[in-house]
Structure formats: structure tokens, C-alpha cells
Amino acid sequence: MKVTYQTCCGVDVHKSFLVATIISTTGGIEPSYQKKRFSTFNNSILEFKQWLLDNDCHDVCMESTGKYWIPVFNLLEDAINVTIANPKWVKAVKGNKDDTKDSKWIGDLFRLGLVKGSYIPCKAIRILREYTRYRYKLVSCRTSEKNRFQNALTVCNVALDSVVSDIFGKSSTSIIDYLLEQSGNSINHEEIASKLLRSLKSKEDAVIESIEGYQMTDPQKYRMRLVRAHMDYITAEINDVDSMIKTLISSDPAYENAVQLLCTIPGVKRDSAITIISEIGIDMTQFCNSKRLCCWAGLTPGSNESAGKKKSVRITRAGVYLKPALVQCAHAAVASNKSPYYKKNMNHLLNVVARKEPLLRSLG
């Protein structure tokens, strides 16, 4: 095989230490190896960086093990070309693997150009990504609390969610507050009716019937107040994160232009556009074509064929944060009336399937 890197380094990173092996290819066939161990403290990583520069090594390959590679990458990226490899591309042969051999194995594969590098965006995008992913977690946590609050109502014989479309709307919130303030389990029909707004006024009888006879003890009321307080706290946190994300986007006109450009796509709103940018950045030279980007996001079928038989076409687990955002945008585009192209084509496809279904059944 052709040697891609004359001088390179393979690094096996752990939580408290790293093992590095510099591989130098001079005139002979057999390369020379220099192995050294460093701590993952900042001073020791800087010593590792200087050791690389002293040996004229400007290409390093590391395995992306958890978050352990990030501190090393942060201190090397300004002067060293760092390749972060997916563990499946540098996995050592079973039975011939230990801490002293891993860095040499990674270096040998990297030296011959057999390691595919992972996409690592610039630091500004990485910081934006931290905020968008944290926001995703907060929204998921708030959704869990909403489900918990709604389940608490069901346990207390309150079927309000069967009548109203939004259990956390103004009318519903006002009614639930009234129930939490009651000392007993009786309700005043006139007071309940006075809390109904807009279209819910026509559902007065159904609302009262869904509440009548509810059973809510003081400990249950206290727990519901705790859940609601936590929901309010999470909402305030999300608002703070949104403010910071807005500041990060406005700090660079290129980011704002990219957001506006993405928003021209049917189904893509500003929040989704920011999430997409935080995951893939704005420099598309990292991906040679659109198919490569879709594959990186985990949205293309797999290719596992042997002896003319397809064994699996499952999509990968990649794009844990990007994939849900893109799928959500796709659903919004199909349901959009402002840009009906996808909606009409989806309806056409469904009609074709419906017409072909009797024929497919007869053939099956």
C-alpha cells in the first residue's frame, strides 16, 4: 500500500492519560516508532503538542472515545492536523489488543490512509451546537413533565384532556388552578363556566361533566404544584438558552444568511434552521455531495449485500440530533398549504398505492 503520511502519530486517549506513537517513514520499508505516554492535564497535553512539533509531526489520528478526545483536540487544532476517527474504523483485531498496542495500530492504519476522518466543525459551530443540543434536552424534559402532569389529572379522575385540545391553554390552566385551590371535591358550575374562553364556551356542559366527581387529595395537589413549578422553571431556562442562541447567530452575518436561506425551504422554520446549522455548519466543502451529507446524517439505507442477496438496508444510528430535526421538517413540508408541492405529490403517491393494493394482494 502507498504511504499517505510520511510522519504521523496515532493516539489512544483515555480519561486520565493518553498513549501516542509517532511513526516516521524514511528511506526503508520498515518505519520507525516512538512511543510516549502523557497525562490528560492541560500542561501535559501541551508537552505532547511540543513533542509532536519537535519531531516534525503535523498529522495526528485519534479515536473518538466519548468526550475524552475533546480536551486534546482543543489544544492541538491550532498547529496540528487532527483526524478524529470513528471507533469502527480503527478497531484492533480481537486477541491482539491492549493499551500499549492501540496507538501503534491507529498510527499504522492512518499512515496508509485507511482511516476515515469524522467531521469536526469550527469552534464557533461547536459552541452553538452545545446550546442547541441542550435546548433539545430541555424541551424533552419539559415534555416529560407535561405528560407527568396530565397523568396526574387522569389519576385524579379529571378527564379535561378529552374535551380541550390543549390541557395547558389559558382556560384549562385556569380551571386546574381552581381545582387545586378547592378544599374539597365539589365544584361551582357557574365559576367553571366563567373561566371558559372563546370556542370552549360552547363546550361548557362537556367541560363540567369531565370534571364532576373528581378525586384529588392534598398530597396529590402538592405534587402537581411541584411538577408545574418545574415546568415553569424549564420554560424560563429555554427562554434563556434561546436568547443566547440568538446572540451567537447574530454575532456572524454568515450564520444569519445561512439561517434565512434554509428558511426558504418548505417546512424549515428558524429553530430548525439553527439546529441544522449547528450540526453541519455552513461550510459544505466537508461533504463532497448531497448524498454524502444524507449518509452522514443517517438518513440513507444501508448497503449490506452478499451473494446477490440484500441482508440489511437499515439506516445507521448517526445524526442523533440532526435526524429528528430533518424528519420534523419533512412532516411539516408535507402538511404545508403554503408550499403544496410535497403535499400534492404525497397524496398522489398514496392514491397510486391504494389503486395498486388489490393487485399486490392478489399477487402476494
Side-chain angles (χ1 to χ4, degrees):
M1 288 185 177
K2 182 180 178 180
V3 176
T4 304
Y5 299 98
Q6 297 296 323
T7 303
C8 64
C9 180
V11 183
D12 183 31
V13 185
H14 297 270
K15 182 178 181 180
S16 57
F17 69 92
L18 63 88
V19 180
T21 302
I22 293 179
I23 305 176
S24 301
T25 306
T26 54
I29 299 176
E30 287 293 329
S32 61
Y33 298 91
Q34 297 181 64
K35 183 176 291 186
K36 202 169 183 180
R37 175 169 168 161
F38 298 89
S39 168
T40 52
F41 294 152
N42 292 334
N43 290 336
S44 185
I45 295 175
L46 292 175
E47 291 178 8
F48 167 54
K49 179 180 179 180
Q50 189 60 46
W51 180 62
L52 292 173
L53 297 175
D54 292 342
N55 287 276
D56 196 26
C57 180
H58 296 274
D59 297 289
V60 172
C61 180
M62 289 190 298
E63 180 183 353
S64 58
T65 306
K67 299 291 184 181
Y68 300 151
W69 61 271
I70 297 179
V72 183
F73 182 86
N74 288 338
L75 296 179
L76 295 184
E77 64 175 330
D78 61 334
I80 306 292
N81 298 320
V82 184
T83 298
I84 306 298
N86 191 299
K88 69 179 180 180
W89 299 116
V90 293
K91 188 176 182 180
V93 179
K94 190 175 182 180
N96 190 31
K97 179 185 183 306
D98 55 44
D99 289 341
T100 62
K101 296 179 181 178
D102 282 349
S103 63
K104 179 178 178 295
W105 175 262
I106 294 171
D108 283 332
L109 294 177
F110 182 62
R111 168 176 166 266
L112 299 175
L114 298 178
V115 179
K116 294 182 179 180
S118 301
Y119 166 56
I120 308 297
C122 65
K123 191 163 187 176
I125 292 294
R126 297 203 301 268
I127 294 173
L128 178 62
R129 178 186 289 180
E130 292 173 0
Y131 276 95
T132 55
R133 291 184 175 184
Y134 182 50
R135 186 185 189 279
Y136 176 84
K137 293 293 186 181
L138 289 176
V139 172
S140 300
C141 184
R142 184 175 62 180
T143 301
S144 298
E145 288 298 296
K146 285 184 175 181
N147 293 336
R148 193 168 289 112
F149 190 82
Q150 192 162 338
N151 291 337
L153 291 175
T154 303
V155 170
C156 296
N157 294 69
V158 178
L160 191 60
D161 57 331
S162 300
V163 181
V164 301
S165 59
D166 183 11
I167 196 67
F168 300 98
K170 289 185 178 181
S171 300
S172 302
T173 302
S174 181
I175 293 172
I176 294 172
D177 287 340
Y178 169 78
L179 298 179
L180 293 176
E181 292 171 359
Q182 291 294 101
S183 57
N185 292 323
S186 60
I187 59 173
N188 187 325
H189 292 192
E190 294 181 358
E191 193 165 352
I192 292 292
S194 65
K195 298 180 181 297
L196 301 179
L197 304 174
R198 298 174 185 173
S199 60
L200 274 182
K201 291 182 179 180
S202 60
K203 300 180 180 180
E204 176 183 338
D205 295 337
V207 171
I208 293 175
E209 187 178 358
S210 67
I211 300 172
E212 193 77 50
Y214 77 101
Q215 302 291 323
M216 192 179 292
T217 63
D218 290 339
Q220 288 175 319
K221 293 178 181 179
Y222 181 74
R223 177 173 173 270
M224 291 177 68
R225 292 190 185 98
L226 291 177
V227 173
R228 176 177 284 178
H230 192 202
M231 286 169 48
D232 294 339
Y233 172 77
I234 295 174
T235 301
E237 288 285 298
I238 293 174
N239 293 334
D240 290 342
V241 171
D242 286 340
S243 299
M244 189 60 191
I245 290 175
K246 184 178 179 181
T247 302
L248 293 174
I249 291 294
S250 61
S251 63
D252 191 337
Y255 296 157
E256 185 63 38
N257 293 336
V259 170
Q260 293 179 6
L261 181 62
L262 285 173
C263 287
T264 60
I265 302 174
V268 178
K269 300 300 181 184
R270 185 174 179 83
D271 289 344
S272 300
I274 294 174
T275 300
I276 294 171
I277 290 174
S278 69
E279 294 296 326
I280 68 176
I282 59 176
D283 181 12
M284 293 298 99
T285 57
Q286 298 288 341
F287 309 98
C288 54
N289 51 46
S290 59
K291 292 183 179 180
R292 179 59 190 158
L293 175 57
C294 292
C295 181
W296 180 83
L299 291 170
T300 55
S303 179
N304 185 10
E305 184 176 337
S306 179
K309 293 183 180 180
K310 288 187 176 181
K311 296 182 178 294
S312 175
V313 292
R314 298 179 65 180
I315 61 175
T316 65
R317 297 174 59 187
V320 178
Y321 294 91
L322 179 59
K323 193 187 306 179
L326 293 177
V327 171
Q328 184 179 10
C329 292
H331 284 302
V334 171
S336 175
N337 292 320
K338 294 182 179 179
S339 302
Y341 174 81
Y342 300 102
K343 186 175 184 179
K344 290 180 179 179
N345 281 274
M346 179 60 69
N347 291 334
H348 175 70
L349 178 61
L350 294 175
N351 291 333
V352 171
V353 173
R355 288 197 300 268
K356 297 291 184 181
E357 186 177 1
L359 176 61
L360 293 175
R361 288 182 177 178
S362 64
L363 295 176

